[in-house]
């Protein structure tokens, strides 16, 4: 049993760890997946769902939560717009007050006169203190969350902000008190205290963090545009049949079994089946296939596709929450929530990051107090700088933003990625194993050539059509389609007899005709020559006359050769795995460029072949579509299923190719490589930034050839914000990746 909850207030990896620890303590919780990017938590329960307990646990951890509800795009944008507007008003007000505060604090040093006598030290300090209090009050949420998590021994980024800002404010109060004490007895000492106040730093820290969080939120919005594009595909209203009339209703109110009407040019709101009329449906939004598909009574249609022409009524088979588009959205969100191996390391570090930083800050203060002859100002500067320069946010965002953008990009191109590990594994893949039928071939036989002479074909073709139209075997349909394409018409054949496993026999104009395999001719004593060409053979004879044979082969998909060639260029081994005989399998492999073949493989043996290849030290991806492929998809490092495949195959796979196009394997590989590189760069930056900035903030380079180098706390807080923003913006570059075949672009 699973439930998704919306969480507000999470800002960094430490927040994620706090929520995760809190929810895991709820009795009956089996698994917890928290997403900083989507601000949500997915909870798997052992038995009974514990909504109230989960929400209470999240609230006690310093955040707020509610049961996640699927929203229309207009609702999502309205809610986000309102949230961003409130944040913007609060931020701009804080910045305006900070400018005034900085004028009061720094004006005299820059030669800018104050409205009062500069010697009125306490006036300036009281004005600074009042302005700082208003700014901190506007941003009180940092302190509420920060101290809540600190007292619960699970500190996060808010804790660093709150402790750093509070420390600066307390020191400001200390300077005001000391200035008051010495103002009348020792003006020089009083002025020294008044000019070394950190009140503006308390406000600056909070404002810079707020600026960073606001810009980061704007950047994160861009990472979600792929999801919003998918949501936007679904119209918010549909024409529903009510009491004999079609009326416009909210699509979310339509239930399974309801009948809706789709007019020409309209978007189809939900998944369903045609019950009357017809349509030419553009499914490119879901499958990537540009050519409209003809839909007639009994055909299935997918929600979010467009009816280009024709009009039809359809019976709804899935509600919006269960629709194909919603399943794609869920896959993208689940992939963003899942974690790659690299992120697990980052999570472990993030879990101890904040308490470690607080400890380092305290240690830095003690060391500098003792080593600087009790220079409190210097020691305090270094301690606060350490608190505000460190950035667990970058660690927490490094993976999910890249995965979210990558999976969204994949969804736009018909490649659905079910988990983040599939991306990292696909990037490292050494071999790709292909099923044959339905994967690199279309799964149905087609006549490629015939050994029958032109005169013989003219004599017998119409009779063959007359026989095979009474045969429901797939080979019969392929043969009839071929002959009709050549312009032949059907002749009426009598005394038709179907012989299972052999073929079909019938009489025309007193002559018996035979259409089937070689064994059929042997059975009736017809003298014939066996055809040696690779493929499936349908022999034609009448009485004692042998006409020849039609040769059928499984049609190779248009992009198969291109796909194999691209994999070979990447030095990735390509393998054909099929239950077909070795001769046919080898012939097909040679045609498309596959060098390694496993043939005559029973369904239960496919997984054994995958394990054998893996045992040689290779990472293996398996591409298949049938029930018999499911075990192989499961044991492979990356299972890739075609969208038209069986549900079992889809459930067993890590990646789904919606359009059944083999070339989408290359798209997935390109995407995996780009996302993995981005994650590595993001994590490198996050570690490098902290490894460089924390020692600098701690004063490690204070005594150096460059002179007395120290990091001002205000600059430190600005750098922290830039670090998080860099990670998000870097992930956005994934959207510019060209996968091939996009917008008419050639591969």
């Amino acid at each position: 049993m699973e439930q998704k909850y919306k969480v507000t207030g999470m800002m960094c990896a430490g927040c994620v760890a706090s929520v995760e620890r809190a929810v895991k303590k709820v009795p009956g919780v089996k698994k917890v997946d928290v997403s900083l990017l989507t601000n949500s938590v997915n909870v798997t329960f052992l038995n009974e769902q514990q909504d109230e307990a989960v929400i209470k646990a999240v609230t006690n951890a310093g955040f707020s939560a509610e049961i996640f509800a699927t929203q229309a795009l207009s609702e999502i944008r309205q809610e986000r717009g309102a949230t961003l507007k409130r944040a913007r008003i609060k931020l701009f007000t804080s910045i305006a007050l900070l400018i005034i505060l900085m004028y009061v604090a720094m004006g005299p040093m820059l030669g800018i006169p104050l409205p009062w006598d500069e010697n009125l030290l306490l006036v300036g300090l009281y004005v600074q203190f009042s302005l700082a209090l208003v700014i901190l009050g506007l941003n009180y949420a940092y302190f509420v969350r920060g101290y809540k998590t600190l007292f619960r021994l699970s500190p996060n980024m808010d804790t660093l902000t709150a402790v750093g800002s509070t420390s600066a404010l307390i020191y400001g109060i200390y300077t005001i008190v000391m200035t008051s004490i010495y103002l009348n007895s020792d003006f020089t000492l009083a002025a020294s205290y008044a000019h070394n106040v950190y009140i503006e730093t308390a406000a600056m820290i909070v404002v810079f963090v707020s600026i960073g969080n606001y810009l980061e939120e704007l950047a994160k919005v861009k990472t979600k545009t792929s999801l919003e594009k998918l949501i936007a595909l679904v119209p918010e209203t549909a024409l529903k049949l009510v009491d004999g009339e079609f009326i416009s209703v909210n699509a979310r109110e339509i239930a399974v079994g309801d009948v809706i009407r789709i007019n020409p040019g309209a978007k189809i709101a939900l998944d369903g089946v045609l019950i009357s009329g017809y349509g030419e449906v553009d499914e490119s939004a879901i499958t990537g296939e540009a050519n409209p598909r003809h839909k007639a009574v009994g055909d299935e249609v997918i929600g979010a596709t467009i009816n280009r022409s024709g009009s039809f009524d359809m019976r709804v088979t899935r509600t919006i929450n269960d629709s194909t588009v919603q399943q794609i959205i869920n896959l993208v969100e689940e992939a963003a929530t899942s974690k790659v191996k690299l992120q697990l390391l980052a999570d472990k570090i993030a879990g101890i990051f904040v308490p470690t930083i607080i400890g380092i800050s305290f240690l830095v203060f003690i060391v500098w107090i003792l080593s600087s002859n009790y220079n409190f100002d210097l020691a305090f500067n270094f301690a606060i700088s350490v608190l505000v320069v460190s950035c667990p946010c970058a660690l927490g965002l490094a993976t999910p933003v890249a995965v979210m953008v990558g999976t969204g990009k994949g969804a736009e191109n018909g490649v659905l990625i079910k988990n983040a590990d599939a991306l990292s594994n696909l990037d490292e893949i050494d071999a790709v194993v292909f099923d044959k039928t339905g994967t690199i071939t279309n799964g149905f036989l087609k006549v490629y050539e015939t050994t029958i002479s032109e005169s013989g074909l003219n004599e017998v073709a119409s009779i063959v059509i007359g026989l095979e139209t009474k045969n429901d075997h797939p080979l019969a349909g392929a043969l009839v389609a071929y002959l009709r394409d050549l312009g032949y018409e059907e002749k009426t054949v009598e005394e038709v007899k179907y012989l299972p496993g052999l073929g079909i026999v019938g009489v025309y104009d007193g002559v018996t005709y035979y259409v089937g395999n070689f064994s059929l001719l042997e059975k009736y004593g017809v003298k014939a020559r066996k055809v040696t060409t690779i493929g499936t053979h349908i022999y034609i004879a009448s009485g004692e006359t042998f006409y020849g044979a039609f040769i059928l082969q499984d049609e190779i998909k248009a992009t198969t050769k291109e796909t194999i060639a691209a994999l070979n260029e990447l030095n990735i081994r390509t393998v054909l795995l099929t239950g077909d005989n070795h001769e046919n399998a080898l012939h097909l492999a040679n045609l498309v460029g596959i060098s390694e073949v496993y043939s005559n493989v029973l369904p239960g043996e496919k997984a054994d072949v995958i394990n054998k290849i893996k045992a040689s030290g290779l990472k293996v991806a398996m591409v298949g579509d049938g029930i018999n492929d499911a075990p192989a998809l499961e044991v492979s490092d990356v299972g890739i299923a075609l969208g038209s495949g069986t549900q079992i195959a889809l459930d067993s796979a890590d990646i789904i190719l919606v359009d059944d196009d083999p070339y989408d394997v290359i798209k997935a590989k390109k995407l995996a490589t780009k996302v993995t590189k981005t994650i590595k760069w993001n994590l490198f930056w996050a570690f490098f930034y902290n490894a460089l900035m924390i020692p600098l903030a701690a004063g490690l380079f204070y005594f150096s050839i460059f002179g007395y180098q120290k990091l001002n706390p205000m600059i430190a807080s600005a750098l922290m914000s830039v670090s998080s923003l860099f990670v998000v913006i870097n992930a956005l570059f994934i959207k510019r990746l060209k996968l091939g075949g996009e917008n008419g672009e050639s591969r």
Side-chain angles (χ1 to χ4, degrees):
M1 183 182 298
E2 289 188 16
Q3 180 61 54
K4 186 176 181 179
Y5 303 88
K6 180 181 178 182
V7 180
T8 54
M10 293 193 300
M11 306 298 290
C12 68
C15 301
V16 171
S18 298
V19 172
E20 192 169 314
R21 281 195 296 267
V23 177
K24 278 184 176 178
K25 291 178 182 177
V26 175
V29 169
K30 179 182 178 183
K31 184 182 177 186
V32 180
D33 290 311
V34 184
S35 172
L36 178 62
L37 189 62
T38 59
N39 295 317
S40 64
V41 54
N42 289 328
V43 182
T44 304
F45 298 93
L46 289 171
N47 296 305
E48 188 178 352
Q49 197 165 304
Q50 304 283 345
D51 292 333
E52 289 185 12
V54 169
I55 292 172
K56 184 178 179 181
V58 174
T59 303
N60 289 338
F63 310 91
S64 58
E66 59 184 299
I67 295 175
F68 186 90
T70 304
Q71 296 174 292
L73 184 60
S74 59
E75 294 173 335
I76 293 172
R77 287 176 173 168
Q78 184 178 1
E79 182 180 303
R80 186 179 65 218
T83 301
L84 288 175
K85 183 179 179 181
R86 287 193 298 270
R88 189 163 52 247
I89 292 172
K90 188 186 299 182
L91 177 62
F92 289 168
T93 303
S94 298
I95 291 173
L97 292 172
L98 181 63
I99 291 171
I100 299 172
L101 173 57
M102 294 304 294
Y103 158 63
V104 175
M106 311 293 290
M109 297 182 219
L110 301 173
I112 304 173
L114 294 175
W116 56 84
D117 191 327
E118 292 180 15
N119 292 324
L120 298 175
L121 300 178
L122 286 177
V123 173
L125 292 179
Y126 287 147
V127 171
Q128 290 183 54
F129 186 73
S130 300
L131 289 169
L133 277 184
V134 175
I135 292 171
L136 299 184
L138 285 170
N139 298 278
Y140 72 93
Y142 290 113
F143 300 90
V144 173
R145 292 192 300 261
Y147 284 114
K148 257 190 175 183
T149 54
L150 179 62
F151 295 148
R152 291 185 172 275
L153 302 180
S154 56
N156 56 28
M157 189 64 223
D158 289 335
T159 307
L160 296 181
T161 302
V163 171
S165 187
T166 303
S167 301
L169 189 66
I170 291 172
Y171 184 68
I173 295 172
Y174 165 75
T175 59
I176 292 174
V177 171
M178 297 306 290
T179 301
S180 301
I181 292 172
Y182 290 104
L183 186 61
N184 295 321
S185 60
D186 189 342
F187 185 82
T188 302
L189 183 58
S192 175
Y193 276 111
H195 293 149
N196 287 284
V197 67
Y198 276 101
I199 292 175
E200 77 279 5
T201 299
M204 183 73 85
I205 289 169
V206 170
V207 172
F208 271 155
V209 170
S210 296
I211 291 172
N213 287 338
Y214 181 75
L215 293 176
E216 185 181 299
E217 194 59 37
L218 290 179
K220 281 162 65 178
V221 165
K222 290 187 178 180
T223 70
K224 299 176 185 177
T225 54
S226 297
L227 284 179
E228 292 195 354
K229 284 180 183 177
L230 290 170
I231 296 170
L233 292 173
V234 182
E236 295 189 9
T237 61
L239 295 173
K240 175 184 171 183
L241 181 63
V242 180
D243 297 329
E245 280 186 61
F246 285 96
I247 61 173
S248 179
V249 300
N250 190 317
R252 296 182 179 279
E253 298 174 1
I254 296 175
V256 172
D258 286 346
V259 175
I260 62 175
R261 173 161 290 174
I262 308 299
N263 291 320
K267 279 188 178 181
I268 300 170
L270 303 114
D271 298 1
V273 178
L274 267 71
I275 57 174
S276 67
Y278 76 94
E280 299 295 333
V281 179
D282 178 357
E283 297 182 340
S284 58
I286 302 298
T287 66
E289 175 58 49
N291 295 325
R293 296 182 179 178
H294 179 76
K295 301 290 182 178
V297 173
D299 289 340
E300 294 183 354
V301 290
I302 303 171
T305 56
I306 301 172
N307 180 34
R308 293 298 181 191
S309 63
S311 177
F312 57 86
D313 295 342
M314 56 174 277
R315 192 175 304 282
V316 174
T317 56
R318 290 178 180 171
T319 63
I320 279 185
N321 289 340
D322 298 322
S323 66
T324 300
V325 171
Q326 189 58 48
Q327 288 176 13
I328 293 172
I329 292 170
N330 292 341
L331 283 174
V332 173
E333 289 187 336
E334 286 169 16
T337 305
S338 62
K339 296 170 182 175
V340 297
K341 293 182 284 292
L342 286 171
Q343 182 65 16
L344 295 176
L345 170 63
D347 283 352
K348 287 181 181 178
I349 294 172
I352 60 173
F353 186 89
V354 176
T356 300
I357 291 300
I358 293 174
I360 291 173
S361 176
F362 181 75
L363 181 63
V364 164
F365 180 79
I366 298 299
V367 168
W368 278 105
I369 278 286
L370 297 176
S371 62
S372 63
N373 197 23
Y374 297 96
N375 186 335
F376 185 88
D377 288 343
L378 186 67
F380 185 77
N381 182 292
F382 287 135
I384 296 298
S385 294
V386 168
L387 283 177
V388 297
V389 79
S390 54
C391 187
C393 297
L395 286 171
L397 289 169
T399 292
V401 290
V403 172
M404 172 66 90
V405 177
T407 50
K409 178 76 173 178
E412 289 175 7
N413 288 272
V415 179
L416 303 185
I417 298 152
K418 294 169 71 174
N419 60 74
D421 260 339
L423 287 168
S424 61
N425 287 338
L426 186 58
D427 178 52
E428 300 170 356
I429 221 70
D430 302 302
V432 178
V433 179
F434 291 92
D435 169 52
K436 181 176 81 72
T437 307
T439 300
I440 61 175
T441 67
N442 284 319
F444 52 85
L445 294 174
K446 177 182 177 182
V447 177
Y448 269 79
E449 60 178 301
T450 180
T451 63
I452 303 174
S453 65
E454 186 177 348
S455 59
L457 195 60
N458 290 333
E459 182 181 333
V460 80
S462 295
I463 299 170
V464 170
I465 294 175
L467 275 168
E468 292 290 55
T469 50
K470 297 177 175 61
N471 185 359
D472 59 4
H473 194 282
L475 293 181
L479 185 53
V480 169
Y482 172 76
L483 293 174
R484 281 185 169 157
D485 283 345
L486 294 177
Y488 294 103
E489 299 293 335
E490 175 183 353
K491 287 185 176 179
T492 303
V493 182
E494 301 173 341
E495 299 180 33
V496 176
K497 183 179 180 183
Y498 175 66
L499 303 172
L502 296 173
I504 196 165
V505 178
V507 177
Y508 176 77
D509 199 20
V511 179
T512 302
Y513 288 84
Y514 309 95
V515 179
N517 57 29
F518 197 76
S519 297
L520 175 70
L521 304 189
E522 287 183 322
K523 176 180 176 66
Y524 287 95
V526 178
K527 292 182 179 180
R529 298 180 305 278
K530 246 189 176 181
V531 176
T532 57
T533 306
I534 298 293
T536 299
H537 310 130
I538 299 179
Y539 293 89
I540 311 296
S542 66
E544 294 185 356
T545 304
F546 175 63
Y547 291 95
F550 294 98
I551 300 155
L552 295 84
Q553 292 178 2
D554 195 349
E555 186 177 26
I556 299 170
K557 289 186 176 179
T559 59
T560 295
K561 291 183 181 179
E562 185 182 2
T563 303
I564 303 303
L567 289 171
N568 289 336
E569 283 181 15
L570 294 171
N571 293 318
I572 294 174
R573 273 172 65 180
T574 52
V575 181
L576 180 62
L577 180 61
T578 178
D580 203 352
N581 66 67
H582 187 69
E583 189 179 53
N584 284 345
L586 192 59
H587 175 70
L588 176 64
N590 289 333
L591 283 177
V592 300
I594 294 176
S595 56
E596 192 171 345
V597 175
Y598 290 86
S599 56
N600 296 305
V601 180
L602 297 175
E605 297 172 342
K606 286 193 172 184
D608 296 334
V609 173
I610 299 296
N611 284 326
K612 178 183 175 182
I613 298 172
K614 287 173 65 177
S616 66
L618 301 179
K619 275 207 164 187
V620 181
M622 169 70 192
V623 187
D625 70 326
I627 292 175
N628 61 335
D629 298 320
L633 291 169
E634 195 71 53
V635 301
S636 61
D637 294 293
V638 183
I640 303 175
L642 302 187
S644 64
T646 64
Q647 190 60 47
I648 294 176
L650 298 179
D651 291 342
S652 302
D654 304 298
I655 296 173
I656 299 170
L657 309 181
V658 176
D659 200 31
D660 295 348
D661 186 347
Y663 191 80
D664 285 351
V665 173
I666 304 301
K667 288 184 180 180
K669 179 70 173 70
K670 286 182 181 178
L671 189 62
T673 299
K674 179 64 175 177
V675 171
T676 304
K677 282 183 179 178
T678 302
I679 290 172
K680 288 177 179 178
W681 271 112
N682 280 353
L683 287 172
F684 169 78
W685 166 255
F687 284 118
F688 174 77
Y689 165 84
N690 284 294
L692 178 64
M693 289 300 171
I694 291 173
L696 177 62
L700 188 64
F701 305 111
Y702 185 63
F703 299 109
S704 71
I705 60 174
F706 303 107
Y708 299 114
Q709 301 297 320
K710 65 178 181 178
L711 194 63
N712 186 288
M714 292 180 286
I715 303 301
S717 60
L719 288 171
M720 182 276 296
S721 299
V722 170
S723 175
S724 296
L725 198 59
F726 174 86
V727 166
V728 177
I729 292 174
N730 188 41
L732 289 173
F733 281 102
I734 296 172
K735 294 179 73 68
R736 300 175 63 182
L737 176 67
K738 298 296 182 183
L739 297 178
E742 300 169 270
N743 303 321
E745 173 202 349
S746 68
R747 292 191 173 99

